[in-house]
Amino acid sequence: MNIGEIAKRAGVSRSTVSYALSGKRPVSEDTRRKIQRVIDDLGYQPNASARALANGRTNTIGLVFPPAGNHYTGMQLDFIGSVTEAAADHDYDVLLSPSGMDSDRSFQRLLGERRVDGAILMEMRLQDDRLDHLTEVGFPSVAIGRTANPQGSWWVGLDHTALAAACVHHLADLGHRRVAFVNRPEPLLRAGYESAHRGLDGFTKAAAERGLTVRTYCCGDDAASGQACLEQILHDDPATTALVTLNEAALGGIYRGLAQAGRQVPHDFSVTGVVAGRWAETVTPQLTAADVPAEQMGRLAVELLVERLNHPAAPARHHLLAPPISLRASTAPPGPGPTGAAHDLGAPAHP
Amino acid sequence: MNIGEIAKRAGVSRSTVSYALSGKRPVSEDTRRKIQRVIDDLGYQPNASARALANGRTNTIGLVFPPAGNHYTGMQLDFIGSVTEAAADHDYDVLLSPSGMDSDRSFQRLLGERRVDGAILMEMRLQDDRLDHLTEVGFPSVAIGRTANPQGSWWVGLDHTALAAACVHHLADLGHRRVAFVNRPEPLLRAGYESAHRGLDGFTKAAAERGLTVRTYCCGDDAASGQACLEQILHDDPATTALVTLNEAALGGIYRGLAQAGRQVPHDFSVTGVVAGRWAETVTPQLTAADVPAEQMGRLAVELLVERLNHPAAPARHHLLAPPISLRASTAPPGPGPTGAAHDLGAPAHP
DNA sequence: TTGAAAGCGCTACCAA
DNA sequence: TTGGTAGCGCTTTCAA
């Protein structure tokens, strides 16, 4: 059933039906009611492809979500969920593309075949060929994350530098002097992942500023790697009393490694980092962390994109978020150190 | 740029270009090369909407993934990831719909506006209005999960009954007599969630068979609820020595509750259940569980759907999976009970 | 306030 | 082996 059928049954022309639907031209209350009745009776819905072909808009946005290595992280799920729901609120559908690079078949389909009106990019890199490509061809997009040079582009990002620094200051304030940093997997760092780089930067600078002794590690996105990484940390410097992590998926493994090394959190060892709140609360003790507001970020990204689609000439806008650290239960002043067996020295070793 | 432009530059007709692209009609090697050259030069890609309009296929599949309550679970992420990648392998794109019900706007768009060729349904209920609707209008779909009466429909599911029963037998074999069951949230159970119902069934029957004393609980999909639920369990029957859970998101909270109650896993208390392997390994000790093969299920669902799309008259097919229990570290023979302080009975040497 | 008709870009039928 | 052309179902301009 198509618009012609509706027109015939309502005794009007196809254009009138179209206008009655879109409201782009006045239609007498009478005919509009007549048409609506037929539409309701037949449960008519206009064909999306035809509509897209005729007016050049698909009412679909592309969500480019490459796997971060072998698999996806919990944070990505939060983004996908919030983007999809926000999009639905604006009557947009979301088309998924698992593309890691500009040259992916799936990415090419998205753009080249004009399946979507605009795109939201996840897992940004400091130099991002996907974004370069989009900007070059003038395709509307909003990034979750920002490149090294984000001027003139649309994005909603997290101030990873400030967040990692805040973690360092928090630990330094508690009296920690020897702190490790657990980053995302090495391949991602090499690929130029924004969060990994800026986080590392923020950590390093703040640590230098506070005169801390630090070591930095890359760590696979899974529990086993987290555990291995923690073992490495304690092996490299048993006097380490705290760590900062960006690696949500490794968190469970880090805790396990700590437990097996006989370090109790937070008495013997403090853990903090940048992690979506929902996942920070699954570990025991709950993680004191800068909570990634994934829900809000997804929603903002959609809103920016919709705005951009509606106003093609609008100047670039962005949101840089820097959520505060949520104090939970995984940090405390440093304990007596690796040799001590007592867990009850109320006071920090280094005030 | 469109197919006409290509035709003009290659000095052939539009139909020839079309056939050269689709291969549905022989084209001389000469002209095909000429055409290909122009296409490569201009980077031409056919417009998806036009193509969809002309041949009635969108090359897109819909993934209907309703939030399970307030938010999404880790397992859903695994499904989304595997479905998207499997679809990409078949040159299909994936359109997301957060629809919980047949009547959702987003669901109606998917079908009514013919945005997709077929759909994959997640979060099945025993009576599922979405599937009823799809079947009624003859829309090709594959469900991840199955209804009470799955005959004649396409699905890939998990034998939750057998899986939950296997957990019970595993615990009974170890000597546990008082066992709790931690289900998905109550609203989902009331809504008729398949996994929640069949899991509960399998648990109850197997427990009766083994003469166990049991209590069953519903539990919110988050750590806080898990903790609260565990407290309730120990309050209701402090002699409980083990539990079976389907609730992956509550797992961290369950462990926390156990720790706070002074029960060590697995010495004083055993935990097992049905959980995607990746998440079972984030807790310490790692969870002995029937691993949900989410990756495989997503892939199978796509393959079934593609088969169905290519052979509209093919008889319904399905896959019922029943993965074995992966023995990890969270179960052991029951300890001395709630009063005992000794943690060094016959349990495994390794914490 | 309404209708007729020309596209949108592609596919596939009918002829040659 | 190729070209011409009539749709696919909708939007929108032009006329009335």
Side-chain angles (χ1 to χ4, degrees):
Chain A
M1 165 206 11
N2 57 34
I3 203 175
E5 183 77 2
I6 304 296
K8 197 186 305 173
R9 302 214 188 192
V12 298
S13 76
R14 303 187 314 168
S15 48
T16 301
V17 175
S18 176
Y19 285 119
L21 245 32
S22 70
K24 292 189 182 171
R25 180 167 97 173
V27 171
S28 80
E29 197 43 38
D30 230 38
T31 52
R32 112 163 278 104
R33 248 201 305 276
K34 226 170 18 187
I35 292 171
Q36 193 57 51
R37 236 189 79 71
V38 178
I39 286 180
D40 291 344
D41 280 4
L42 276 63
Y44 165 77
Q45 287 183 261
N47 177 304
S49 304
R51 174 174 278 185
L53 178 59
N55 70 10
R57 297 192 50 158
T58 60
N59 263 275
T60 303
I61 68 185
L63 181 56
V64 184
F65 85 127
N70 319 320
H71 47 233
Y72 302 91
T73 70
M75 216 165 64
Q76 294 194 48
L77 177 63
D78 293 336
F79 284 135
I80 295 173
S82 61
V83 164
T84 306
E85 285 176 359
D89 291 345
H90 293 271
D91 281 328
Y92 273 91
D93 281 325
V94 173
L95 197 60
L96 243 38
S97 168
S99 315
M101 306 175 321
D102 157 26
S103 53
D104 275 356
R105 280 233 303 290
S106 151
F107 190 79
Q108 295 296 346
R109 270 209 306 269
L110 220 64
L111 305 185
E113 303 185 358
R114 311 221 79 89
R115 280 174 190 269
V116 300
D117 297 335
I120 291 179
L121 263 42
M122 290 175 48
E123 308 286 331
M124 291 301 290
R125 295 174 301 245
L126 289 175
Q127 305 295 337
D128 202 290
D129 62 342
R130 301 167 305 170
L131 185 58
D132 292 344
H133 183 119
L134 291 174
T135 323
E136 197 178 322
V137 302
F139 196 86
S141 69
V142 171
I144 293 183
R146 66 197 204 278
T147 59
N149 240 275
Q151 300 86 341
S153 70
W154 296 65
W155 51 271
V156 19
L158 221 46
D159 192 344
H160 287 100
T161 315
L163 261 29
C167 290
V168 170
H169 290 303
H170 172 64
L171 292 175
D173 289 346
L174 285 169
H176 293 272
R177 307 294 307 156
R178 307 180 81 85
V179 177
F181 182 71
V182 178
N183 208 334
R184 303 292 302 281
E186 213 244 320
L188 299 191
L189 190 66
R190 269 209 318 270
Y193 262 52
E194 184 225 351
S195 56
H197 278 274
R198 289 202 216 271
L200 178 57
D201 260 28
F203 174 83
T204 310
K205 296 215 177 95
E209 203 176 297
R210 300 296 293 253
L212 306 186
T213 303
V214 302
R215 279 189 145 82
T216 63
Y217 297 83
C218 282
C219 175
D221 274 334
D222 58 89
S225 303
Q227 183 171 354
C229 182
L230 187 102
E231 282 161 11
Q232 187 66 46
I233 290 172
L234 291 185
H235 171 267
D236 292 347
D237 180 4
T240 307
T241 62
L243 68 80
V244 174
T245 184
L246 306 182
N247 193 321
E248 169 177 284
L251 200 54
I254 291 174
Y255 267 64
R256 173 152 58 240
L258 249 7
Q260 295 198 345
R263 309 281 182 119
Q264 232 186 311
V265 177
H267 302 284
D268 310 322
F269 203 101
S270 289
V271 183
T272 183
V274 182
V275 170
R278 196 167 128 210
W279 311 96
E281 296 181 354
T282 63
V283 291
T284 306
Q286 294 179 236
L287 193 74
T288 286
D291 294 351
V292 177
E295 153 71 31
Q296 185 192 4
M297 292 175 73
R299 185 160 294 277
L300 285 174
V302 169
E303 276 159 16
L304 285 182
L305 184 54
V306 169
E307 176 185 334
R308 185 168 180 184
L309 291 174
N310 291 336
H311 309 285
R317 306 206 321 108
H318 65 258
H319 297 284
L320 181 61
L321 309 181
I325 289 187
S326 294
L327 291 173
R328 297 200 184 84
S330 65
T331 59
T339 49
H343 293 166
D344 49 2
L345 303 185
H350 312 277
Chain B
M1 166 205 10
N2 58 34
I3 203 175
E5 183 76 2
I6 304 297
K8 197 186 303 172
R9 303 213 188 193
V12 299
S13 75
R14 301 187 315 166
S15 48
T16 301
V17 175
S18 175
Y19 285 119
L21 244 34
S22 70
K24 292 190 183 172
R25 182 166 97 171
V27 172
S28 80
E29 198 41 39
D30 229 39
T31 51
R32 115 164 272 105
R33 248 200 306 277
K34 227 170 19 189
I35 293 172
Q36 193 57 50
R37 234 189 83 68
V38 178
I39 287 181
D40 291 344
D41 280 4
L42 276 63
Y44 165 76
Q45 287 182 261
N47 178 303
S49 304
R51 174 174 279 186
L53 178 57
N55 69 11
R57 296 191 53 157
T58 61
N59 263 275
T60 303
I61 69 185
L63 181 56
V64 183
F65 85 127
N70 319 321
H71 47 231
Y72 302 90
T73 70
M75 217 165 63
Q76 295 194 49
L77 177 63
D78 293 337
F79 284 135
I80 294 173
S82 61
V83 164
T84 305
E85 285 176 0
D89 291 345
H90 293 270
D91 283 325
Y92 273 91
D93 280 326
V94 172
L95 197 60
L96 243 38
S97 168
S99 316
M101 306 176 322
D102 159 26
S103 54
D104 275 359
R105 281 233 303 291
S106 150
F107 190 79
Q108 295 296 346
R109 269 209 307 269
L110 219 63
L111 305 186
E113 303 185 357
R114 311 220 78 89
R115 281 176 189 268
V116 300
D117 297 333
I120 291 179
L121 263 43
M122 291 175 48
E123 308 287 329
M124 291 301 291
R125 295 175 301 250
L126 289 175
Q127 306 295 339
D128 202 289
D129 60 343
R130 301 168 304 169
L131 186 57
D132 292 345
H133 183 119
L134 291 174
T135 325
E136 195 178 323
V137 301
F139 196 86
S141 69
V142 171
I144 293 183
R146 67 196 204 276
T147 60
N149 240 275
Q151 299 86 341
S153 70
W154 295 64
W155 51 272
V156 19
L158 221 46
D159 192 346
H160 287 98
T161 315
L163 261 28
C167 290
V168 170
H169 290 301
H170 172 63
L171 292 174
D173 290 345
L174 286 169
H176 293 273
R177 309 293 308 156
R178 307 180 82 85
V179 177
F181 182 72
V182 178
N183 207 335
R184 300 295 301 280
E186 212 244 322
L188 300 191
L189 190 68
R190 268 210 317 272
Y193 262 51
E194 185 224 351
S195 55
H197 278 273
R198 289 202 217 269
L200 178 56
D201 260 29
F203 174 85
T204 310
K205 295 213 178 100
E209 203 176 296
R210 301 295 294 253
L212 305 185
T213 304
V214 302
R215 281 190 143 82
T216 62
Y217 298 83
C218 281
C219 174
D221 274 333
D222 58 89
S225 303
Q227 184 171 354
C229 182
L230 187 103
E231 283 160 12
Q232 188 65 47
I233 289 172
L234 291 184
H235 171 268
D236 290 349
D237 180 4
T240 307
T241 62
L243 67 79
V244 173
T245 183
L246 306 183
N247 193 320
E248 168 178 284
L251 200 54
I254 290 173
Y255 267 64
R256 173 153 58 243
L258 248 8
Q260 296 197 346
R263 309 281 181 119
Q264 233 187 309
V265 177
H267 302 280
D268 310 322
F269 202 100
S270 288
V271 182
T272 183
V274 182
V275 171
R278 200 167 125 208
W279 311 95
E281 297 182 353
T282 63
V283 291
T284 305
Q286 294 179 235
L287 193 74
T288 286
D291 295 351
V292 176
E295 152 73 29
Q296 184 192 5
M297 291 175 73
R299 186 160 294 276
L300 285 173
V302 169
E303 276 159 18
L304 247 37
L305 184 55
V306 168
E307 175 185 333
R308 186 168 180 184
L309 291 174
N310 290 336
H311 310 284
R317 306 206 320 108
H318 65 258
H319 297 283
L320 181 61
L321 309 181
I325 290 188
S326 293
L327 290 174
R328 297 199 186 84
S330 66
T331 58
T339 49
H343 292 167
D344 50 359
L345 299 190
H350 279 293

